[in-house]
Amino acid sequence: MNGNVPVASSESVPVASPGQSHRDAVEYVGFRVDGQAVVLNLSEHRRLSLERSLDLVNHSPSGFEWGYSGSGPAQLACALLLVYYDDEQFAREHYIAFRNQVVSQLECDGAAACWHLTGEEIDAAMATLTDDVVALADGGRPSPTLPENWRAVSRPDRRVFQRADRDHYIVLGDGTDEWLVVLCSQGDRAYPAPLAHRTVAEEADVERVIRELAEESNDLIEPPEGEH
């Protein structure tokens, strides 16, 4: 595999893959054809599906990318985990960390101008990922009633709300006596760009503000029908 991707030590405890039904012999290869990113599953002799991952998270409808932290690499990370582990919840929980630690490091180099990633390397990398893991909705404070295309997620250091159909996030940071609520978008940038923000007194209705920002995002880019 190309890039500085973490490898599990002999003492690492691998992440339990759903059913342990995948094969370590799986290998993926990425390259470009006329500038367009192409990813193949060599063991199955077919292209990695973009559409299946878009049904789970919609970061980059235009296709996959790699070599940096952005929407295209996020889509590739989700697709790789989804196909390899065949578990939607597992892929949704871990694809951001997998993008940051693995997909962002992939490079097309060597005589063949491509990168290779094996199933064994995916397992080894996942065994080392303990930070930046996105968890599914878990309640907690605050717990606003969000639009259907938004959900609450957990990060080690803060509360985050993520839009399922677009690359939009609401980040909630608490200060001494107020909340800072920020709507942002990752896009193709290395760091999220703020789209809007609110400063809210600690005793104020922060749930209402979070919902307002979620609805503002939905107004900017309308969600698919039935997910308002």
Side-chain angles (χ1 to χ4, degrees), residues 31-80:
F31 53 93
R32 297 188 184 278
V33 177
D34 296 329
Q36 190 72 23
V38 176
V39 180
L40 299 180
N41 183 330
L42 291 183
S43 59
E44 297 182 359
H45 306 289
R46 63 182 179 182
R47 293 180 68 153
L48 184 66
S49 171
L50 172 66
E51 288 72 21
R52 185 183 177 192
S53 66
L54 287 173
D55 289 339
L56 189 62
V57 295
N58 191 322
H59 290 292
S60 180
S62 60
F64 300 131
E65 268 300 343
W66 54 77
Y68 63 99
S69 296
S71 58
Q75 200 69 53
L76 175 56
C78 179
L80 287 168

Side-chain angles (χ1 to χ4, degrees), residues 79-99:
L80 287 168
L81 294 185
L82 183 59
V83 169
Y84 184 64
Y85 291 106
D86 194 25
D87 185 279
E88 291 186 357
Q89 178 172 329
F90 186 85
R92 196 197 299 270
E93 289 178 356
H94 295 280
Y95 79 95
I96 291 295
F98 188 67
R99 178 199 66 180

